[in-house]
Each structure stands twice: as C-alpha cells, then as structure tokens.
Amino acid sequence: MEQTVVILKPDCVVRWLIWNVIQRYESLGLRLIASSMENLTEDLLKEHYAHLADKPFFPKIVSYMTSAPVMVQLWEWENAVAAVRKANWATNPAEATPWTVRWDYALTIDNNIVHASENLEDARAEKERFFSWISVVQYT
Ligand code: CMP
C-alpha cells in the first residue's frame, strides 16, 4: 500500500474546485486518510520547493502559494503516487491530456490547481513535512 501527498493549491480553493478534484481520486478507488486546510509559510515553501529555489519563477510560486489557504491531503492505495499523478497529468496544463485534473481545471503553469508527490521517496518526505501535526486515520 502506498501513500501520496496532494496539495490543493490556492486557485483550487478559491475557485470552489476542492470537491471536483477529490472526486477524481475517489473515483480511482484511492482512500483519503488525512486532510487539513493550512496557510503555508514562506519557510515551509522554501523547504518544500528547495529544488526550485534558484529558478526565476520561485518568488512567484511563494507569493501564489501564500495568497490563500491550501488543502493538504494524504491519499492511500496501491500505486497511489502514480495514480494521482496520472489523474493530474502535466505540470503545464497546456500539455495536459483531456479529461485530466489539469486539463479540466488548471489555467496556467503557475495556477495549476494541485501538487502531488513525484515519487515514493518524496511522498515519505512530504508526509513528514505536512502531516506531523495532523491526524492520519486508518480504515478499510
Ligand atoms: P508543482 O507540481 O507544485 O511543482 C513545482 C511548481 O512550480 C509547479 O507545480 C508549478 O506550479 C510551478 N511552476 C511555475 N513556473 C514553472 C515552470 N516554468 N516550470 C515548472 N514549474 C513551474
């Protein structure tokens, strides 16, 4: 069983798209085991996006990700990491396949609705980063 972290970004929250995205993952049979509305801090974003810190668009990411609350979610099921990334599709919505989350809802590469763990190692680190103070449940 895998776990993967999803962040529903500020544009997802303020455009009332939370349930639309949740529905995509639930329809794949994934199980939501933790969730919380959070205001992300610049320090946390610097850690989360450390691999992008030297990119010219990094300040834009920080101002966008702190512009409104996000919903952090932990999803569980077999192949959860790949299943969620496939449901979301490309980072840039212009390259997304039809009927995926980003094709349907994302507007630009900056306002791209959702973040999902890239691989199992990232998923473990992101779980540690975002869910150390949020309760995680278990059910069948
Ligand atoms: P995310 O999956 O959260 O990971 C890094 C984020 O950087 C990405 O989604 C985009 O929203 C954002 N970003 C902004 N500009 C770019 C860019 N030119 N290339 C890649 N990611 C970008």
Side-chain angles (χ1 to χ4, degrees):
M1 202 68 80
E2 285 183 13
Q3 293 177 350
T4 191
V5 172
V6 167
I7 305 174
L8 301 188
K9 295 183 176 183
D11 55 330
C12 185
V13 173
V14 302
R15 291 173 56 209
W16 296 281
L17 292 171
I18 291 173
W19 81 269
N20 304 64
V21 180
I22 288 177
Q23 195 184 38
R24 297 299 174 96
Y25 307 148
E26 285 192 329
S27 69
L28 294 172
L30 292 154
R31 195 153 58 196
L32 184 60
I33 56 170
S35 177
S36 180
M37 299 298 294
E38 299 287 330
N39 284 302
L40 299 184
T41 63
E42 188 169 344
D43 282 350
L44 193 68
L45 287 163
K46 278 184 179 156
E47 186 188 316
H48 180 61
Y49 286 127
H51 56 296
L52 301 175
D54 58 348
K55 301 283 185 201
F57 54 83
F58 186 70
K60 261 204 310 192
I61 295 181
V62 173
S63 80
Y64 160 60
M65 293 294 285
T66 54
S67 65
V70 301
M71 181 181 258
V72 290
Q73 301 175 332
L74 189 63
W75 290 88
E76 182 176 76
W77 202 241
E78 286 157 27
N79 303 315
V81 172
V84 167
R85 287 187 70 85
K86 212 166 175 181
N88 294 341
W89 211 262
T91 302
N92 187 350
E95 292 161 14
T97 281
W99 320 125
T100 58
V101 169
R102 292 210 178 101
W103 166 271
D104 284 345
Y105 304 119
L107 300 174
T108 64
I109 194 166
D110 303 305
N111 291 239
N112 68 351
I113 294 283
V114 70
H115 165 85
S117 310
E118 199 168 331
N119 51 52
L120 263 182
E121 193 188 340
D122 283 3
R124 281 190 205 103
E126 290 173 7
K127 179 183 175 186
E128 187 81 16
R129 181 171 306 132
F130 293 105
F131 292 91
S132 51
W133 66 92
I134 297 168
S135 69
V136 176
V137 298
Q138 281 188 318
Y139 58 97
T140 53

PDB file of all heavy atoms in Angstrom, residues 9 48-49 51-52 57 61 64 85 91 102 109-112 114-116, ligand 1:
ATOM      1  N   LYS A   9      -4.068  23.633  -4.322  1.00  0.00           N
ATOM      2  CA  LYS A   9      -3.427  24.946  -4.256  1.00  0.00           C
ATOM      3  C   LYS A   9      -4.464  26.069  -4.116  1.00  0.00           C
ATOM      4  O   LYS A   9      -5.663  25.841  -4.270  1.00  0.00           O
ATOM      5  CB  LYS A   9      -2.572  25.135  -5.513  1.00  0.00           C
ATOM      6  CG  LYS A   9      -1.409  24.144  -5.593  1.00  0.00           C
ATOM      7  CD  LYS A   9      -0.552  24.428  -6.814  1.00  0.00           C
ATOM      8  CE  LYS A   9       0.662  23.519  -6.869  1.00  0.00           C
ATOM      9  NZ  LYS A   9       1.543  23.847  -8.020  1.00  0.00           N
ATOM     10  N   HIS A  48       9.889  22.873   0.924  1.00  0.00           N
ATOM     11  CA  HIS A  48       9.149  22.002   0.010  1.00  0.00           C
ATOM     12  C   HIS A  48       9.640  22.133  -1.438  1.00  0.00           C
ATOM     13  O   HIS A  48       9.729  21.153  -2.171  1.00  0.00           O
ATOM     14  CB  HIS A  48       7.658  22.350   0.103  1.00  0.00           C
ATOM     15  CG  HIS A  48       6.780  21.531  -0.779  1.00  0.00           C
ATOM     16  ND1 HIS A  48       6.676  20.163  -0.653  1.00  0.00           N
ATOM     17  CD2 HIS A  48       5.981  21.875  -1.817  1.00  0.00           C
ATOM     18  CE1 HIS A  48       5.839  19.709  -1.573  1.00  0.00           C
ATOM     19  NE2 HIS A  48       5.415  20.717  -2.293  1.00  0.00           N
ATOM     20  N   TYR A  49       9.914  23.375  -1.858  1.00  0.00           N
ATOM     21  CA  TYR A  49      10.344  23.624  -3.234  1.00  0.00           C
ATOM     22  C   TYR A  49      11.842  23.955  -3.286  1.00  0.00           C
ATOM     23  O   TYR A  49      12.269  24.742  -4.137  1.00  0.00           O
ATOM     24  CB  TYR A  49       9.534  24.760  -3.850  1.00  0.00           C
ATOM     25  CG  TYR A  49       8.103  24.387  -4.209  1.00  0.00           C
ATOM     26  CD1 TYR A  49       7.023  25.153  -3.759  1.00  0.00           C
ATOM     27  CD2 TYR A  49       7.815  23.290  -5.014  1.00  0.00           C
ATOM     28  CE1 TYR A  49       5.721  24.822  -4.096  1.00  0.00           C
ATOM     29  CE2 TYR A  49       6.513  22.953  -5.353  1.00  0.00           C
ATOM     30  CZ  TYR A  49       5.472  23.721  -4.889  1.00  0.00           C
ATOM     31  OH  TYR A  49       4.179  23.391  -5.236  1.00  0.00           O
ATOM     32  N   HIS A  51      14.297  22.413  -4.426  1.00  0.00           N
ATOM     33  CA  HIS A  51      14.914  22.088  -5.721  1.00  0.00           C
ATOM     34  C   HIS A  51      14.627  23.170  -6.773  1.00  0.00           C
ATOM     35  O   HIS A  51      15.215  23.164  -7.853  1.00  0.00           O
ATOM     36  CB  HIS A  51      14.421  20.723  -6.222  1.00  0.00           C
ATOM     37  CG  HIS A  51      12.935  20.622  -6.342  1.00  0.00           C
ATOM     38  ND1 HIS A  51      12.081  20.715  -5.270  1.00  0.00           N
ATOM     39  CD2 HIS A  51      12.147  20.433  -7.428  1.00  0.00           C
ATOM     40  CE1 HIS A  51      10.834  20.592  -5.676  1.00  0.00           C
ATOM     41  NE2 HIS A  51      10.844  20.428  -6.987  1.00  0.00           N
ATOM     42  N   LEU A  52      13.708  24.110  -6.459  1.00  0.00           N
ATOM     43  CA  LEU A  52      13.377  25.175  -7.419  1.00  0.00           C
ATOM     44  C   LEU A  52      13.839  26.546  -6.932  1.00  0.00           C
ATOM     45  O   LEU A  52      13.574  27.561  -7.583  1.00  0.00           O
ATOM     46  CB  LEU A  52      11.857  25.228  -7.635  1.00  0.00           C
ATOM     47  CG  LEU A  52      11.197  23.955  -8.170  1.00  0.00           C
ATOM     48  CD1 LEU A  52       9.682  24.124  -8.220  1.00  0.00           C
ATOM     49  CD2 LEU A  52      11.743  23.624  -9.562  1.00  0.00           C
ATOM     50  N   PHE A  57      11.291  31.763 -11.447  1.00  0.00           N
ATOM     51  CA  PHE A  57       9.870  31.819 -11.092  1.00  0.00           C
ATOM     52  C   PHE A  57       9.598  31.487  -9.622  1.00  0.00           C
ATOM     53  O   PHE A  57       8.449  31.496  -9.181  1.00  0.00           O
ATOM     54  CB  PHE A  57       9.045  30.899 -12.004  1.00  0.00           C
ATOM     55  CG  PHE A  57       9.506  29.464 -12.055  1.00  0.00           C
ATOM     56  CD1 PHE A  57       9.117  28.560 -11.079  1.00  0.00           C
ATOM     57  CD2 PHE A  57      10.315  29.002 -13.088  1.00  0.00           C
ATOM     58  CE1 PHE A  57       9.526  27.236 -11.115  1.00  0.00           C
ATOM     59  CE2 PHE A  57      10.731  27.679 -13.141  1.00  0.00           C
ATOM     60  CZ  PHE A  57      10.335  26.790 -12.143  1.00  0.00           C
ATOM     61  N   ILE A  61       6.082  31.510  -7.175  1.00  0.00           N
ATOM     62  CA  ILE A  61       5.496  30.332  -6.510  1.00  0.00           C
ATOM     63  C   ILE A  61       5.150  30.688  -5.071  1.00  0.00           C
ATOM     64  O   ILE A  61       4.059  30.388  -4.584  1.00  0.00           O
ATOM     65  CB  ILE A  61       6.478  29.122  -6.514  1.00  0.00           C
ATOM     66  CG1 ILE A  61       6.748  28.634  -7.916  1.00  0.00           C
ATOM     67  CG2 ILE A  61       5.924  27.982  -5.657  1.00  0.00           C
ATOM     68  CD1 ILE A  61       7.684  27.421  -7.981  1.00  0.00           C
ATOM     69  N   TYR A  64       2.167  33.097  -4.812  1.00  0.00           N
ATOM     70  CA  TYR A  64       0.924  32.396  -5.165  1.00  0.00           C
ATOM     71  C   TYR A  64       0.512  31.409  -4.069  1.00  0.00           C
ATOM     72  O   TYR A  64      -0.649  31.387  -3.624  1.00  0.00           O
ATOM     73  CB  TYR A  64       1.135  31.681  -6.504  1.00  0.00           C
ATOM     74  CG  TYR A  64       0.190  30.549  -6.800  1.00  0.00           C
ATOM     75  CD1 TYR A  64      -1.183  30.765  -6.873  1.00  0.00           C
ATOM     76  CD2 TYR A  64       0.674  29.267  -7.032  1.00  0.00           C
ATOM     77  CE1 TYR A  64      -2.044  29.710  -7.159  1.00  0.00           C
ATOM     78  CE2 TYR A  64      -0.173  28.218  -7.316  1.00  0.00           C
ATOM     79  CZ  TYR A  64      -1.537  28.448  -7.379  1.00  0.00           C
ATOM     80  OH  TYR A  64      -2.379  27.412  -7.653  1.00  0.00           O
ATOM     81  N   ARG A  85      -0.711  11.168  -9.959  1.00  0.00           N
ATOM     82  CA  ARG A  85      -0.009  11.979 -10.965  1.00  0.00           C
ATOM     83  C   ARG A  85      -0.611  11.799 -12.350  1.00  0.00           C
ATOM     84  O   ARG A  85      -0.679  12.724 -13.142  1.00  0.00           O
ATOM     85  CB  ARG A  85       1.489  11.680 -10.953  1.00  0.00           C
ATOM     86  CG  ARG A  85       2.157  12.292  -9.714  1.00  0.00           C
ATOM     87  CD  ARG A  85       3.629  12.161  -9.738  1.00  0.00           C
ATOM     88  NE  ARG A  85       4.274  12.996 -10.734  1.00  0.00           N
ATOM     89  CZ  ARG A  85       4.609  14.267 -10.561  1.00  0.00           C
ATOM     90  NH1 ARG A  85       4.318  14.889  -9.439  1.00  0.00           N
ATOM     91  NH2 ARG A  85       5.232  14.931 -11.505  1.00  0.00           N
ATOM     92  N   THR A  91       2.477  19.166 -15.461  1.00  0.00           N
ATOM     93  CA  THR A  91       2.584  20.394 -14.665  1.00  0.00           C
ATOM     94  C   THR A  91       2.006  21.574 -15.430  1.00  0.00           C
ATOM     95  O   THR A  91       1.294  22.403 -14.879  1.00  0.00           O
ATOM     96  CB  THR A  91       4.074  20.675 -14.327  1.00  0.00           C
ATOM     97  OG1 THR A  91       4.582  19.543 -13.611  1.00  0.00           O
ATOM     98  CG2 THR A  91       4.235  21.918 -13.489  1.00  0.00           C
ATOM     99  N   ARG A 102      -5.714  18.682 -14.587  1.00  0.00           N
ATOM    100  CA  ARG A 102      -5.133  19.944 -15.074  1.00  0.00           C
ATOM    101  C   ARG A 102      -5.754  20.366 -16.408  1.00  0.00           C
ATOM    102  O   ARG A 102      -5.896  21.562 -16.673  1.00  0.00           O
ATOM    103  CB  ARG A 102      -3.617  19.826 -15.150  1.00  0.00           C
ATOM    104  CG  ARG A 102      -3.011  19.714 -13.728  1.00  0.00           C
ATOM    105  CD  ARG A 102      -1.644  20.294 -13.680  1.00  0.00           C
ATOM    106  NE  ARG A 102      -1.044  20.253 -12.365  1.00  0.00           N
ATOM    107  CZ  ARG A 102      -0.140  19.370 -11.968  1.00  0.00           C
ATOM    108  NH1 ARG A 102       0.251  18.406 -12.791  1.00  0.00           N
ATOM    109  NH2 ARG A 102       0.389  19.443 -10.764  1.00  0.00           N
ATOM    110  N   ILE A 109       0.657  27.380 -15.935  1.00  0.00           N
ATOM    111  CA  ILE A 109       1.655  26.560 -15.219  1.00  0.00           C
ATOM    112  C   ILE A 109       1.803  27.029 -13.761  1.00  0.00           C
ATOM    113  O   ILE A 109       2.118  26.236 -12.878  1.00  0.00           O
ATOM    114  CB  ILE A 109       3.004  26.551 -15.961  1.00  0.00           C
ATOM    115  CG1 ILE A 109       3.897  25.448 -15.406  1.00  0.00           C
ATOM    116  CG2 ILE A 109       3.671  27.911 -15.911  1.00  0.00           C
ATOM    117  CD1 ILE A 109       5.094  25.115 -16.260  1.00  0.00           C
ATOM    118  N   ASP A 110       1.554  28.306 -13.501  1.00  0.00           N
ATOM    119  CA  ASP A 110       1.623  28.802 -12.122  1.00  0.00           C
ATOM    120  C   ASP A 110       0.361  28.417 -11.358  1.00  0.00           C
ATOM    121  O   ASP A 110       0.426  27.935 -10.238  1.00  0.00           O
ATOM    122  CB  ASP A 110       1.750  30.329 -12.088  1.00  0.00           C
ATOM    123  CG  ASP A 110       2.950  30.801 -12.859  1.00  0.00           C
ATOM    124  OD1 ASP A 110       4.047  30.328 -12.547  1.00  0.00           O
ATOM    125  OD2 ASP A 110       2.790  31.619 -13.777  1.00  0.00           O
ATOM    126  N   ASN A 111      -0.778  28.664 -11.983  1.00  0.00           N
ATOM    127  CA  ASN A 111      -2.068  28.359 -11.346  1.00  0.00           C
ATOM    128  C   ASN A 111      -2.512  26.987 -11.826  1.00  0.00           C
ATOM    129  O   ASN A 111      -3.454  26.857 -12.621  1.00  0.00           O
ATOM    130  CB  ASN A 111      -3.104  29.423 -11.706  1.00  0.00           C
ATOM    131  CG  ASN A 111      -2.801  30.771 -11.065  1.00  0.00           C
ATOM    132  OD1 ASN A 111      -3.591  31.315 -10.311  1.00  0.00           O
ATOM    133  ND2 ASN A 111      -1.620  31.296 -11.358  1.00  0.00           N
ATOM    134  N   ASN A 112      -1.826  25.962 -11.315  1.00  0.00           N
ATOM    135  CA  ASN A 112      -2.084  24.627 -11.878  1.00  0.00           C
ATOM    136  C   ASN A 112      -2.804  23.694 -10.904  1.00  0.00           C
ATOM    137  O   ASN A 112      -2.661  22.480 -10.964  1.00  0.00           O
ATOM    138  CB  ASN A 112      -0.795  24.006 -12.446  1.00  0.00           C
ATOM    139  CG  ASN A 112       0.217  23.660 -11.389  1.00  0.00           C
ATOM    140  OD1 ASN A 112       0.042  24.020 -10.228  1.00  0.00           O
ATOM    141  ND2 ASN A 112       1.268  22.955 -11.767  1.00  0.00           N
ATOM    142  N   VAL A 114      -3.006  21.904  -8.401  1.00  0.00           N
ATOM    143  CA  VAL A 114      -2.676  20.813  -7.492  1.00  0.00           C
ATOM    144  C   VAL A 114      -1.182  20.485  -7.533  1.00  0.00           C
ATOM    145  O   VAL A 114      -0.531  20.653  -8.569  1.00  0.00           O
ATOM    146  CB  VAL A 114      -3.555  19.591  -7.895  1.00  0.00           C
ATOM    147  CG1 VAL A 114      -3.124  18.998  -9.210  1.00  0.00           C
ATOM    148  CG2 VAL A 114      -3.591  18.547  -6.827  1.00  0.00           C
ATOM    149  N   HIS A 115      -0.668  20.077  -6.384  1.00  0.00           N
ATOM    150  CA  HIS A 115       0.674  19.480  -6.325  1.00  0.00           C
ATOM    151  C   HIS A 115       0.518  18.049  -5.850  1.00  0.00           C
ATOM    152  O   HIS A 115      -0.306  17.772  -4.977  1.00  0.00           O
ATOM    153  CB  HIS A 115       1.570  20.233  -5.326  1.00  0.00           C
ATOM    154  CG  HIS A 115       2.797  19.460  -4.961  1.00  0.00           C
ATOM    155  ND1 HIS A 115       3.946  19.490  -5.726  1.00  0.00           N
ATOM    156  CD2 HIS A 115       3.032  18.579  -3.953  1.00  0.00           C
ATOM    157  CE1 HIS A 115       4.843  18.673  -5.175  1.00  0.00           C
ATOM    158  NE2 HIS A 115       4.311  18.107  -4.105  1.00  0.00           N
ATOM    159  N   ALA A 116       1.288  17.128  -6.419  1.00  0.00           N
ATOM    160  CA  ALA A 116       1.264  15.738  -5.938  1.00  0.00           C
ATOM    161  C   ALA A 116       2.687  15.215  -5.873  1.00  0.00           C
ATOM    162  O   ALA A 116       3.534  15.566  -6.710  1.00  0.00           O
ATOM    163  CB  ALA A 116       0.432  14.876  -6.874  1.00  0.00           C
TER     164      ALA A 116
HETATM  165  P1  CMP B   1       4.239  21.694  -8.634  1.00  0.00           P
HETATM  166  O1  CMP B   1       3.841  20.322  -9.084  1.00  0.00           O
HETATM  167  O2  CMP B   1       3.669  22.176  -7.354  1.00  0.00           O
HETATM  168  O3  CMP B   1       5.827  21.779  -8.556  1.00  0.00           O
HETATM  169  C1  CMP B   1       6.531  22.995  -8.744  1.00  0.00           C
HETATM  170  C2  CMP B   1       5.667  24.133  -9.205  1.00  0.00           C
HETATM  171  O4  CMP B   1       6.339  25.228  -9.787  1.00  0.00           O
HETATM  172  C3  CMP B   1       4.790  23.606 -10.317  1.00  0.00           C
HETATM  173  O5  CMP B   1       3.811  22.733  -9.780  1.00  0.00           O
HETATM  174  C4  CMP B   1       4.286  24.895 -10.948  1.00  0.00           C
HETATM  175  O6  CMP B   1       3.088  25.339 -10.402  1.00  0.00           O
HETATM  176  C5  CMP B   1       5.376  25.917 -10.590  1.00  0.00           C
HETATM  177  N1  CMP B   1       5.999  26.495 -11.790  1.00  0.00           N
HETATM  178  C6  CMP B   1       5.887  27.775 -12.150  1.00  0.00           C
HETATM  179  N2  CMP B   1       6.569  28.003 -13.270  1.00  0.00           N
HETATM  180  C7  CMP B   1       7.130  26.847 -13.655  1.00  0.00           C
HETATM  181  C8  CMP B   1       7.957  26.423 -14.748  1.00  0.00           C
HETATM  182  N3  CMP B   1       8.359  27.285 -15.700  1.00  0.00           N
HETATM  183  N4  CMP B   1       8.313  25.129 -14.813  1.00  0.00           N
HETATM  184  C9  CMP B   1       7.910  24.244 -13.848  1.00  0.00           C
HETATM  185  N5  CMP B   1       7.142  24.591 -12.792  1.00  0.00           N
HETATM  186  C10 CMP B   1       6.755  25.860 -12.692  1.00  0.00           C
END
